[in-house]
């Protein structure tokens, strides 16, 4: 495992990998500060997604790797994209550029740093969803809540509680329980709902 505080050369292999569709895997970056890396990517206008993943476990489960991107000309504005952690070791992050950045080739800086889970949980990506994503999100919420409630499904005899058939015995705080679980996922991966849901997840 990598420690939360570490010493590393200015340029070296990183404890994470980064993939941009159609390009080689990136696993080296410049260490600009303790536990903070930066790399430069060209033709950033064409980037719509960035896949990032851990290649080593983080030394403390209460920390994660937060990912940012910065446009020219000064590279001083850092836009939060998402994060990965030991619990969620990979992530597909959405990237959208406003005009004129979405049509003109340019170089962008990607910054990745180790931060506490508490700090990461307070961050939200400012990237607005498209109309279709609103529809997808609404459908995901309804389906996810239904599946969560369905996990309380019980079988009995007689078709009523205590009898045959199937029935739901739902805790009075079921919405709070579901929302707490949803928030836990969302704090490390604001776009987790855009990817196919694993069958084993509830």
């Amino acid at each position: 495992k990598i420690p939360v505080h570490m010493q590393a050369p200015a340029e070296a292999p990183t404890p994470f990998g980064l993939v941009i569709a159609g390009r080689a895997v990136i696993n080296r970056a410049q260490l600009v500060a303790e536990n903070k890396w930066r790399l430069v990517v060209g033709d950033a206008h064409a980037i719509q997604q960035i896949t990032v993943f851990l290649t080593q476990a983080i030394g403390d489960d209460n920390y994660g790797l937060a990912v940012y991107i910065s446009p020219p000309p000064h590279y001083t504005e850092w836009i939060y994209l998402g994060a990965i952690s030991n619990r969620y070791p990979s992530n597909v992050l959405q990237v959208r550029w406003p005009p004129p950045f979405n049509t003109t080739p340019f170089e962008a800086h990607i910054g990745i740093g180790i931060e506490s889970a508490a700090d990461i949980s307070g961050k939200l990506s400012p990237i607005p969803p498209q109309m279709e994503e609103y529809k997808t999100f609404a459908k995901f919420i309804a389906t996810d809540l239904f599946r969560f409630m369905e996990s309380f499904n019980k079988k009995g005899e007689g078709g009523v509680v205590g009898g045959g058939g199937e029935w739901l015995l739902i805790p009075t705080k079921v919405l709070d329980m579901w929302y707490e679980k949803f928030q836990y996922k969302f704090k490390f991966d604001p776009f987790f709902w855009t990817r196919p849901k694993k069958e084993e997840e509830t």
Side-chain angles (χ1 to χ4, degrees):
K1 292 185 177 182
I2 60 172
V4 174
H5 300 288
M6 60 180 293
Q7 296 293 327
E11 290 188 7
T14 59
F16 58 86
L18 188 144
V19 178
I20 299 171
R23 310 187 191 188
V25 175
I26 299 172
N27 56 13
R28 297 180 66 90
Q30 181 184 10
L31 185 69
V32 295
E34 186 177 34
N35 297 327
K36 292 184 179 182
W37 298 265
R38 178 168 56 192
L39 54 96
V40 179
V41 293
D43 292 328
H45 70 292
I47 300 175
Q48 296 183 343
Q49 291 183 333
I50 294 175
T51 300
V52 62
F53 55 92
L54 288 177
T55 56
Q56 301 178 43
I58 298 173
D60 189 330
D61 288 340
N62 294 314
Y63 285 78
L65 281 174
V67 183
Y68 303 84
I69 196 165
S70 181
H74 304 298
Y75 301 104
T76 55
E77 177 187 2
W78 291 95
I79 302 169
Y80 175 72
L81 298 181
I84 54 177
S85 64
N86 288 341
R87 183 176 176 84
Y88 296 101
S90 64
N91 203 345
V92 179
L93 309 176
Q94 308 297 315
V95 179
R96 293 199 195 94
W97 299 106
F101 293 116
N102 58 349
T103 57
T104 305
F106 66 95
E107 288 187 341
H109 289 189
I110 297 176
I112 300 179
I114 295 180
E115 300 181 14
S116 70
D119 288 340
I120 291 174
S121 65
K123 301 178 186 292
L124 290 177
S125 173
I127 299 174
Q130 302 291 340
M131 182 58 66
E132 284 302 313
E133 288 180 348
Y134 281 116
K135 296 178 182 178
T136 301
F137 185 67
K139 182 179 179 180
F140 174 88
I141 290 294
T143 302
D144 192 68
L145 178 56
F146 174 77
R147 288 180 177 173
F148 183 77
M149 294 175 66
E150 195 176 34
S151 68
F152 297 98
N153 188 43
K154 304 293 183 182
K155 293 184 178 181
E157 299 177 357
V160 294
V161 176
E166 295 185 0
W167 43 275
L168 293 178
L169 182 62
I170 302 175
T172 57
K173 294 184 178 180
V174 63
L175 290 179
D176 292 334
M177 294 167 62
W178 168 79
Y179 188 59
E180 181 179 356
K181 184 176 181 180
F182 182 88
Q183 280 188 311
Y184 187 85
K185 294 180 180 179
F186 191 83
K187 72 178 181 180
F188 277 116
D189 182 4
F191 291 95
F192 79 94
W193 53 273
T194 64
R195 293 183 291 284
K197 190 175 181 67
K198 295 180 180 179
E199 292 297 326
E200 65 272 14
E201 291 184 353
T202 58

